[in-house]
Every structure is written in C-alpha cells, then in structure tokens.
Amino acid sequence: MANILILGASRGIGLEFARQYADAGHRVIATARYAAGLARLSTLGAEPLKLDVADPASISGLAWQLDGEKIHVALYVAGLYSQGGATAPPTQPDFDRVMHTNVLGAMQAIPQVAPLVEEGEGVFAFITSGMGHISSVASSDAWTYRVSKAALNMAVAAAQHDYPRATLLALCPGWVQTDMGGPGASLTVQNSVTAMRRTLAAITPADRGRYLHHDGRPYADW
C-alpha cells in the first residue's frame, strides 16, 4: 500500500485519481476547497484536507498538516483555465488568479511536499497541459493559461535539482472531457487517469524533471 497525496481533488481529474487509487487499496490524502468536495472524498475512502491553493494562508499550512508523512506519489492537479488573446492582455486580477492557482500554488507546495516525497523516494507529478508546450503554440487563445502552464513546466524542471531523491515531473493528461476540454475531447477522465497512473507506476530516475504525455511519451522538443 502506497501513501498518495492529491492536491486539488474536489472534482474532475483530481477526484478520479482519488477514486482509482483508493479502489486499488492505497491510502489517499486529498484536498478540496469546499464542504461538498470534502464529502465526496470521504465517501471514496480518502482522508480529506481542506485546502485552497489560491489562498496563500491556506496552502502555507500544508506542511504542518502533513508533518511526519512519507509520500510515495504526490499530485498537483489544481488548475484554472483562462480565455483571451495576445491582443487583449488580461486584467491584473485575472492574471493573478490564474498564475497563483497554476504556478504560484505549485511553487508554494514544492518545498512543503517534495521533502516528504524524498522520504518515500517517490514521484511528485504536476498536471500540466499541451498548451504549455512552447514549440506547439499555434494561436494566442487562452493566452494567460498557456503562459501559466509553460511557467509551471519550467518551475518543475528547475525545482528537481533541489530534491534529488524525489522524481518531479510535468504530466499532460491529454485532451480530456472536463469543463475545459468539453464533451468533444478525445479522452474520458477515467481513461486519462488510468493512463497517467500506468505512466506514474513506470517512472524511473531517468524521468526526473521531464515533461511527459499521459501515456508516458516525452515531449522531446520541450
């Protein structure tokens, strides 16, 4: 049985990770912002933690809530989508909201969680997006979102050097049928998470700091 930590598990991909890992018999610690999300996690058999990655006061208390834990797989799933093209810069509040959730929250989680992952010699994966893959940008749609995910990918690669006994990586779930992907996306949430769990189970030290597709293929030109 492994200890699994999921940051951002109230619904969608994070909730499905919690469901699948709990069903597989692992101990799951998972976070949600609201009572409804916490209740869903409890129903699945996870240990719920109230946490909002966009609230500095909330996420700053993560370390003491996890004091003494040894984590084998940690997942940063929290994310926020944005619209807007390069001809229309975001307002400061919108920029702050997206960048705090997608990037700063992850950067605040790293020094609190990565040492616990080192204790378990495990994996700390950050759910990113193909839209944060710089060489594949074909339009300015969701400009702030693209910038935030590109920044997240770089932050993960840079942080890897500080935690050599853990494997940090950016993991793209594919085009998934979530609020962002819509019903026309190519992957169901269940199939995406199943593939990502398979990828995480096959991770080796050679994957440290990498940026991978949900099925384990690397973004070679990142």
Side-chain angles (χ1 to χ4, degrees):
M1 180 181 72
N3 290 331
I4 313 295
L5 172 66
I6 305 169
L7 303 176
S10 60
R11 61 194 183 97
I13 289 173
L15 184 64
E16 182 62 20
F17 265 121
R19 185 192 321 278
Q20 291 194 21
Y21 274 120
D23 286 349
H26 299 295
R27 177 184 174 225
V28 177
I29 306 168
T31 75
R33 288 183 296 169
Y34 304 120
L38 295 168
R40 284 192 290 269
L41 291 169
S42 293
T43 300
L44 295 178
E47 299 175 27
L49 290 180
K50 186 174 183 181
L51 181 77
D52 183 354
V53 299
D55 180 354
S58 178
I59 196 169
S60 66
L62 181 59
W64 70 259
Q65 293 188 79
L66 297 173
D67 187 39
E69 294 286 358
K70 179 186 291 186
I71 303 298
H72 301 104
V73 177
L75 294 153
Y76 187 91
V77 188
L80 192 63
Y81 191 59
S82 67
Q83 298 289 349
T87 57
T91 64
Q92 187 72 54
D94 285 347
F95 180 83
D96 291 346
R97 190 169 56 95
V98 173
M99 295 298 286
H100 197 130
T101 302
N102 295 358
V103 186
L104 185 55
M107 296 175 76
Q108 290 173 318
I110 287 171
Q112 299 184 78
V113 175
L116 308 180
V117 178
E118 283 197 305
E119 286 292 320
E121 297 186 355
V123 178
F124 195 175
F126 297 77
I127 303 304
T128 185
S129 170
M131 294 173 74
H133 186 205
I134 292 172
S135 66
S136 70
V137 173
S139 77
S140 62
D141 287 351
W143 192 25
T144 306
Y145 179 79
R146 290 180 185 275
V147 169
S148 73
K149 290 300 186 179
L152 173 63
N153 298 338
M154 182 55 70
V156 172
Q160 176 64 79
H161 299 284
D162 295 323
Y163 304 99
R165 292 189 295 111
T167 299
L168 276 64
L169 56 92
L171 186 60
C172 177
W175 188 28
V176 188
Q177 295 169 11
T178 58
D179 293 345
M180 187 184 90
S186 58
L187 286 168
T188 65
V189 173
Q190 180 180 0
N191 288 344
S192 171
V193 170
T194 297
M196 287 190 285
R197 285 184 57 228
R198 190 178 300 120
T199 294
L200 290 167
I203 290 298
T204 71
D207 296 309
R208 287 174 176 158
R210 300 184 78 181
Y211 178 21
L212 304 176
H213 289 273
H214 64 285
D215 58 7
R217 293 177 294 123
Y219 278 95
D221 53 349
W222 164 248

